Amino acid sequence: MVDLKHLRRNPEVYREAIRLKGVALDLDALLALDAEVQGLKARLQELQTERNRIAKEVPKAPPEARSDLVARGKALAEEAKRVEEALREKEAQLWELLLKVPLPPWPGAPVGPDDSANVEIKRVGAPPEFSFPPLDHVSLLEKNGWWEPRISQVSGSRTYALRGDLALYELALIRFAMDFMVRKGYTPLTLPSYAREKAFIGTGHFPAARDQVWPIAGTDLYLTGTAEVVLNALHSGEILQQEELPKRYAGYAPAFRSEAGSFGKDVRGLMRVHQFHKVEQYVLTEASLEASDQAFQELLQNAEEILKLLELPYRLLEVSTGDMGPGKWRQVDLEVWVPSEGRYRETHSCSALLDWQARRADLRYRDKEGRVQYAYTLNNTALATPRILVMLLENHQLPDGRVRVPEALVPYLGKEVLEPCV
């Protein structure tokens, strides 16, 4: 959510943001509704003032005039009730529209309608050159008995169950990522995989991406697709002190996505599944571009270091205005090379949202001058599996079909090579 006062004063700034990010929103209708709300508030104040005046006059008025004053007071009360009802309705409508207003992107963002306008920043590491015909990750899973093919009969499509060394490898990766983030000074948290609607509104997943989220029947809860949803709500309603910032969290939780709209995409293997595991980086900073930029670079560097420790070739993309989402100030994606596809695929998405989430989630702090301000939020993946397994299996495969374990993971797994499960 954006600052409504700033929106009123600078409508063209947000009109341009709506255009750049391709958001379906009639800003003129929003401003007209806002004017109605302001008019109703003014009228309500007038009615209250008049009622107070009459209430003071009644005891002093002559007996013959009191009945008229009382009748006038009742009429004003009835009108005030009608205005209050109209105001509540209009405020609710305005709130729904304000939730859709995008944050203007940073000036350096590439302008374009979708991911085709994303710009590559750099590449790190070279794709592997194999002296043998390499296998794709599904073939490696099948050859080594590393997944349970019966799971689709039990849990449906887009599910997975790992076996043997690969099951242990997945667990090792999660602990590796958490330990890495702790070394970087982040507070580790294991979190629920569900939250109330308010938390999803706070991150911006609602209302825009509601179709990607599964409701839990019979409750007011929804399954989360990232620990960001819970992390972003932890300090909702509090007033932190500036000295407490930045807050740095590394949150782990199983994640769930409906994958609505992805019919026919990545249906084979581990690339796009309904349930996965994710360690999320989250930072809450003071309201300054300098603090936000510093945290952004920190989150980005953390992700790069993790990929380097996993010995994976990757690239960075500056995400375009039409691809970054309505709440993003800046977004940089990290993509890792997938040999079987001959291309890079996203593993991390580093985002700065300034105060867009904080206003929705009521994340505030008191600055050194005693003023209460909305904080700035940022997030990035630390590690998500099983997608990262696709890259690890394919890039580190050996001629006999086994898979090499990166040096940084050997202490967690206790072996240098993943062996077949028999």
Side-chain angles (χ1 to χ4, degrees):
M1 181 172 289
V2 300
D3 183 348
L4 181 54
K5 292 180 180 178
H6 189 263
L7 173 59
R8 291 169 184 154
R9 293 193 299 266
N10 304 277
E12 293 310 313
V13 171
Y14 293 94
R15 204 180 305 279
E16 177 68 358
I18 290 169
R19 184 188 71 81
L20 289 174
K21 294 192 172 182
V23 176
L25 177 64
D26 185 341
L27 190 63
D28 290 329
L30 185 154
L31 293 171
L33 186 58
D34 178 49
E36 284 189 67
V37 168
Q38 297 306 306
L40 288 169
K41 286 181 177 179
R43 179 54 182 161
L44 193 60
Q45 183 60 49
E46 290 173 359
L47 292 170
Q48 188 61 48
T49 300
E50 180 66 7
R51 288 177 66 193
N52 290 341
R53 185 188 65 78
I54 290 175
K56 292 178 181 179
E57 286 187 8
V58 169
K60 303 176 183 178
E64 62 273 14
R66 289 179 183 173
S67 60
D68 289 342
L69 288 171
V70 170
R72 174 61 178 160
K74 288 182 178 179
L76 291 171
E78 291 174 359
E79 183 181 354
K81 183 179 179 180
R82 291 193 298 271
V83 171
E84 285 177 344
E85 291 174 353
L87 179 59
R88 281 195 297 270
E89 180 181 346
K90 296 295 182 181
E91 283 183 325
Q93 294 173 7
L94 179 60
W95 172 261
E96 289 296 320
L97 291 179
L98 284 171
L99 290 176
K100 299 178 181 180
V101 178
L103 183 72
W106 79 298
V111 175
D114 50 38
D115 59 0
S116 65
N118 295 347
V119 175
E120 184 176 305
I121 301 172
K122 69 174 181 179
R123 295 190 181 191
V124 177
E129 296 182 3
F130 299 102
S131 60
F132 56 91
L135 302 177
D136 67 14
H137 79 280
V138 175
S139 297
L140 288 165
L141 291 168
E142 293 173 344
K143 179 181 178 67
N144 291 286
W146 284 334
W147 74 348
E148 176 50 69
R150 302 176 187 86
I151 197 61
S152 62
Q153 302 172 23
V154 179
S155 303
S157 62
R158 294 193 186 276
T159 55
Y160 76 102
L162 303 180
R163 304 174 75 243
D165 278 0
L166 199 60
L168 299 177
Y169 197 24
E170 182 176 46
L171 296 175
L173 283 163
I174 294 167
R175 183 55 192 267
F176 156 77
M178 290 293 276
D179 285 351
F180 176 91
M181 296 309 302
V182 169
R183 290 196 300 272
K184 292 295 182 178
Y186 287 64
T187 301
L189 295 96
T190 57
L191 300 167
S193 296
Y194 46 86
R196 294 190 172 96
E197 182 180 43
K198 183 179 179 181
F200 288 87
I201 292 172
T203 55
H205 288 87
F206 287 178
R210 188 180 286 268
D211 65 341
Q212 292 294 322
V213 178
W214 273 329
I216 301 177
T219 75
D220 62 347
L221 301 169
Y222 299 79
L223 293 175
T224 56
T226 168
E228 174 198 351
V229 175
V230 176
L231 291 171
N232 191 65
L234 287 182
H235 297 287
S236 179
E238 299 178 22
I239 299 180
L240 303 171
Q241 298 302 312
Q242 185 167 342
E243 293 75 18
E244 298 179 67
L245 302 177
K247 292 281 189 183
R248 294 182 175 90
Y249 293 126
Y252 162 73
F256 301 83
R257 289 182 185 172
S258 71
E259 294 294 347
S262 65
F263 180 78
K265 296 179 181 178
D266 298 319
V267 294
R268 183 172 178 268
L270 302 176
M271 188 64 73
R272 193 185 297 270
V273 291
H274 285 312
Q275 178 186 343
F276 53 101
H277 298 271
K278 189 178 182 187
V279 178
E280 182 77 1
Q281 308 179 65
Y282 177 87
V283 179
L284 193 68
T285 77
E286 63 184 73
S288 80
L289 284 178
E290 182 180 0
S292 179
D293 289 345
Q294 181 178 340
F296 187 86
Q297 294 303 322
E298 179 183 298
L299 291 171
L300 200 57
Q301 182 177 336
N302 290 341
E304 286 200 67
E305 287 186 30
I306 286 172
L307 291 179
K308 288 175 182 176
L309 287 170
L310 296 180
E311 302 172 27
L312 293 171
Y314 66 92
R315 69 174 183 171
L316 271 65
L317 293 179
E318 191 72 58
V319 175
S320 71
T321 56
D323 191 37
M324 67 169 55
K328 309 291 181 66
W329 162 252
R330 185 185 181 189
Q331 180 179 333
V332 171
D333 284 354
L334 292 89
E335 297 184 339
V336 174
W337 180 255
V338 181
S340 65
E341 298 183 11
R343 61 169 172 157
Y344 293 89
R345 297 293 298 268
E346 179 196 329
T347 57
H348 297 72
S349 188
C350 188
S351 303
L353 300 100
L354 303 189
D355 62 354
W356 191 82
Q357 284 184 332
R359 290 180 178 276
R360 302 164 76 99
D362 192 22
L363 303 172
R364 298 173 296 165
Y365 71 98
R366 193 179 305 279
D367 67 18
K368 294 177 182 178
E369 286 71 44
R371 298 169 300 185
V372 175
Q373 300 197 46
Y374 286 103
Y376 283 5
T377 65
L378 306 96
N379 64 80
N380 189 9
T381 313
L383 183 143
T385 179
R387 175 169 288 209
I388 199 70
L389 288 173
V390 173
M391 293 78 169
L392 287 166
L393 293 175
E394 293 197 11
N395 282 283
H396 296 155
Q397 63 182 291
L398 300 172
D400 60 2
R402 296 182 303 161
V403 173
R404 179 178 63 83
V405 177
E407 183 178 347
L409 269 294
V410 171
Y412 291 89
L413 200 60
K415 57 178 61 181
E416 297 180 354
V417 176
L418 300 179
E419 301 288 350
C421 181
V422 293

